[in-house]
Amino acid sequence: QETKNSLHRAKVRMLQRLRVLSGAGITASKDLAALKKDSTSATTALPTKRTLGEHIRQQQLKEEEQLESLGLIDLADRQWLRTTTEDMGRFVAYWDSCLDDRDMLQILKNAKEAYVNELEKLFKNQHSRCEHMAESLMESRFPISIGQIHRLGFDFAGKPAAAQEAVHARIVNLPTTSSQGNELKALGLFVAGAKRVQQLCERMKLQTLAQITEETIDKSREICTPPSQTNF
């Protein structure tokens, strides 16, 4: 019973320390979960703030090395990456997916307001400048993502005038969509994988699944224009 009480008190102290670290901005869930797990072991000494901080720093150094190996040499790029979410890849004034049946003319008609709304999240009380920046964004031949706008705000935080001067060079007409050639290459890779799945299904006598896979491959060829460009 005494051992159980000691472990319980240790766990409580550990949770208190985790809350302190979280309040200080250390919120890496994987790191905290691993440390929490270690602290519940009867044979593991309770980590101190210093031990926990060192563990977090080591994990951050590993992450920095991994990002650099992927080509993110610029520190600003790595810092920006840590602030991004999945929503950053969504285009502001464009179809959300291939299933989006909204009229593009209507989307473009509302584009300026959508751009202003995103810009005002970053540049408070700067409505006039945000409108001017939105007008510049309207000139782009390519769709603009939420991430592009937020990166502008990240790089020019508290500098709306500088952001307004830089917006055209930084964002307008920057290619953000794939070329038809690249899309056909990607489709070819997917089709090759699907054919392999179909063959495995046939060998395993999974006829229904094999048929569905074959029909899917046929449909993928139909979306190519012109169809003669497909060689798979």
Side-chain angles (χ1 to χ4, degrees), residues 140-191:
S140 181
R141 300 194 307 271
F142 294 92
I144 294 169
S145 70
I146 292 176
Q148 287 177 284
I149 295 175
H150 280 247
R151 179 61 191 264
L152 182 76
F154 180 84
D155 289 342
F156 295 94
K159 302 175 182 177
Q164 184 178 341
E165 292 179 5
V167 65
H168 198 282
R170 292 285 297 267
I171 300 180
V172 176
N173 292 331
L174 186 69
T176 54
T177 54
S178 300
S179 66
Q180 186 181 37
N182 286 337
E183 289 185 358
L184 285 172
K185 289 179 182 178
L187 181 59
L189 293 173
F190 283 123
V191 168

Side-chain angles (χ1 to χ4, degrees), residues 80-99:
W80 159 248
L81 184 63
R82 292 190 177 90
T83 70
T84 60
T85 62
E86 291 183 6
D87 195 49
M88 292 293 176
R90 185 171 63 81
F91 290 127
V92 178
Y94 202 67
W95 289 301
D96 290 332
S97 71
C98 61
L99 301 177

Side-chain angles (χ1 to χ4, degrees), residues 56-150:
I56 298 297
R57 283 192 291 273
Q58 291 296 326
Q59 292 299 109
Q60 289 175 339
L61 286 174
K62 288 181 181 179
E63 185 179 284
E64 290 285 339
E65 292 174 357
Q66 290 173 345
L67 292 176
E68 285 188 22
S69 69
L70 293 173
L72 294 169
I73 306 300
D74 193 334
L75 177 61
D77 289 335
R78 299 198 298 274
Q79 290 174 335
W80 159 248
L81 184 63
R82 292 190 177 90
T83 70
T84 60
T85 62
E86 291 183 6
D87 195 49
M88 292 293 176
R90 185 171 63 81
F91 290 127
V92 178
Y94 202 67
W95 289 301
D96 290 332
S97 71
C98 61
L99 301 177
D100 191 342
D101 59 358
R102 290 180 298 163
D103 181 64
M104 179 52 68
L105 291 177
Q106 187 61 40
I107 293 175
L108 294 175
K109 183 179 178 181
N110 299 326
K112 181 178 177 179
E113 182 182 355
Y115 288 137
V116 170
N117 289 339
E118 285 299 326
L119 288 163
E120 287 187 331
K121 295 176 184 177
L122 308 168
F123 303 102
K124 306 293 185 182
N125 303 316
Q126 296 290 329
H127 182 74
S128 179
R129 290 192 185 279
C130 289
E131 281 202 326
H132 285 301
M133 285 190 276
E135 289 171 1
S136 295
L137 297 180
M138 292 283 290
E139 299 174 9
S140 181
R141 300 194 307 271
F142 294 92
I144 294 169
S145 70
I146 292 176
Q148 287 177 284
I149 295 175
H150 280 247

Side-chain angles (χ1 to χ4, degrees), residues 28-40:
S29 58
K30 290 189 295 185
D31 295 330
L32 295 179
L35 290 166
K36 180 179 175 181
K37 182 179 179 181
D38 289 343
S39 71
T40 60

